[in-house]
Amino acid sequence: MMKIVDRRAANRQRTHEAILSAAQELVRERRQADFSFEELATRADVSRRTVFNHFPTRDDLTLALCNDILAAVIEDFRRCAMEVPVGDSSRDNYFDAIFTALAATDLPGAIRTIVRILPENETDERVSAIMHQALTLLDGVIRSETMRRLPGTDEFQVDLFVSALVNGLATASEHWLKCGVEIDQASDDDWQPYFHAVITQLRHGHLTPAPPSTS
Amino acid sequence: MMKIVDRRAANRQRTHEAILSAAQELVRERRQADFSFEELATRADVSRRTVFNHFPTRDDLTLALCNDILAAVIEDFRRCAMEVPVGDSSRDNYFDAIFTALAATDLPGAIRTIVRILPENETDERVSAIMHQALTLLDGVIRSETMRRLPGTDEFQVDLFVSALVNGLATASEHWLKCGVEIDQASDDDWQPYFHAVITQLRHGHLTPAPPSTS
DNA sequence: TACACTAAGTGCAACATTGCACTCAGTGCA
DNA sequence: TGCACTGAGTGCAATGTTGCACTTAGTGTA
């Protein structure tokens, strides 16, 4: 058993994760984030005061939860990307790999969950901003995978692509939310046209006519 | 999930128990108490300073360990006593029940363990005192069982019996330790004559000739 | 509409753990 | 025999958790 170098930091981290883990558990059971901080504290086996110490406002907790949800997607992406052979460093090959890995994650599930945990009276702008911020967490992992598959690519080019992909996904999620289908009842299939539109535009550029309408 | 009224007390208790539990684990693995406080802390997942906060000296820890070992015997006794029907409130019936429950505990194992965890250079007097103190923990449980099986018995009579039994066991353990057999290698059968001597004397009194020699 | 209740949020002090540096005693080795 | 090392033990301050009391905002009900 390894001796822990900084037990204080480790304990604090453990408490932090226990709170987040408990919150996720409650969201899973409730289908929304309607638990009280008291309830969360009990579930996490810490005091209510401690929950506030770690998450000064409910907003802070909500954002952290969103990040956690995306972290799971990132982990999925990483694992799936590892299972796709590197190939011949062609752009086509690379696009296939990235989109295959992305498609294999539960990104639609994550989007649904994020919507569910936001307060019901949240403004569209606020929902959109949070979704964008969460999706930008994909930035790093996609950048890494890009460097791995297309070594030597100009950094600016990489940034352009990654940025276009991440923002494309954010935009797609926005349109999905506005499509009129109750997001909580939406299936993964409902998300596919939006996802497909993003990857098609990225492959062929914006001079190519848009794919068939998503509605 | 019940809300904990005093989380501080509960957490402190949990830490205390984690340390004791870890110590027991190390004793079980090592066959003696030769672990460092550092090692104990790591096993208990607390800091070394915390171990000292809970057990200011190694002696304090040793005594607490002895108590823990006897607590297990007490729990055994309680469980076994529950399985023996109350009967007719006769003295004979009562003696049978108490001695049956006692015999079903791992009292010899507890004695062996206690000896093992004491420092090798501990004096006979010290070993004896610790053993006595530990065995007196049986006092309460035997008293309760006596009141349950012989309701209305004079309290003085109860005290006489309980005291005679507990001190008899302590004396028996002392003689067992002095019998020349390496206690660590002793079997439960080696203990039986000593145990038997105690219960016989308690049943019939000291005017009856002593049972056959224990050596 | 006023009041009671609930829950988020806040300030502050008590408490328990932790880190760190140190002393002291015992042990082993050159 | 002196020195280096190890582990028990100690003092003290930093850190994180906890308890408690309070404020504020929102909600429901008589």
Side-chain angles (χ1 to χ4, degrees), chain B residues 171-184:
Chain B
T171 301
S173 73
E174 230 173 285
H175 283 260
W176 194 26
L177 295 192
K178 285 178 183 156
C179 76
V181 177
E182 187 62 45
I183 201 68
D184 207 13

Side-chain angles (χ1 to χ4, degrees), chain A:
Chain A
M1 186 177 288
M2 284 299 288
K3 180 169 162 57
I4 302 173
V5 173
D6 184 357
R7 300 191 51 80
R8 277 204 274 236
N11 286 342
R12 190 176 58 236
Q13 181 68 5
R14 197 182 308 172
T15 301
H16 197 74
E17 278 162 13
I19 297 169
L20 274 178
S21 187
Q24 285 214 17
E25 204 172 282
L26 287 166
V27 164
R28 223 177 287 128
E29 291 170 12
R30 298 283 185 71
R31 313 293 297 178
Q32 57 189 343
D34 67 345
F35 49 81
S36 66
F37 266 31
E38 181 73 57
E39 203 171 351
L40 175 59
T42 301
R43 182 62 72 94
D45 196 22
V46 300
S47 73
R48 190 174 71 98
R49 192 69 189 85
T50 297
V51 175
F52 280 106
N53 287 342
H54 283 257
F55 303 96
T57 65
R58 195 162 192 107
D59 247 17
D60 292 325
L61 177 68
T62 302
L63 290 182
L65 267 178
C66 292
N67 290 353
D68 246 29
I69 288 158
L70 254 296
V73 172
I74 286 164
E75 205 45 49
D76 268 1
F77 177 86
R78 229 178 226 132
R79 213 189 49 244
C80 298
M82 280 299 137
E83 289 167 12
V84 181
V86 171
D88 61 13
S89 296
S90 70
R91 284 294 173 97
D92 227 29
N93 211 282
Y94 160 75
F95 280 136
D96 280 346
I98 294 286
F99 299 145
T100 300
L102 255 190
T105 67
D106 189 24
L107 186 52
I111 293 167
R112 276 191 301 256
T113 305
I114 287 172
V115 172
R116 281 207 311 261
I117 65 180
L118 294 180
E120 292 190 358
N121 59 0
E122 197 68 281
T123 64
D124 286 351
E125 285 73 38
R126 180 78 175 135
V127 173
S128 181
I130 290 169
M131 194 67 71
H132 269 249
Q133 189 272 327
L135 289 168
T136 57
L137 292 178
L138 286 167
D139 205 285
V141 73
I142 292 171
R143 180 171 280 107
S144 301
E145 191 61 24
T146 301
M147 300 307 263
R148 189 169 79 99
R149 290 179 182 271
L150 302 176
T153 305
D154 179 49
E155 205 170 302
F156 181 45
Q157 294 296 322
V158 172
D159 277 0
L160 281 179
F161 171 70
V162 173
S163 173
L165 174 55
V166 168
N167 281 285
L169 291 174
T171 301
S173 72
E174 229 173 286
H175 283 261
W176 192 25
L177 296 193
K178 284 176 185 159
C179 75
V181 177
E182 187 61 44
I183 202 69
D184 205 17
Q185 318 298 336
S187 70
D188 286 3
D189 285 344
D190 297 334
W191 163 250
Q192 294 313 314
Y194 299 95
F195 182 62
H196 204 73
V198 173
I199 61 178
T200 301
Q201 296 283 35
L202 281 168
R203 278 187 195 269
H204 306 299
H206 296 279
L207 286 181
T208 314
S213 174
T214 51
S215 50

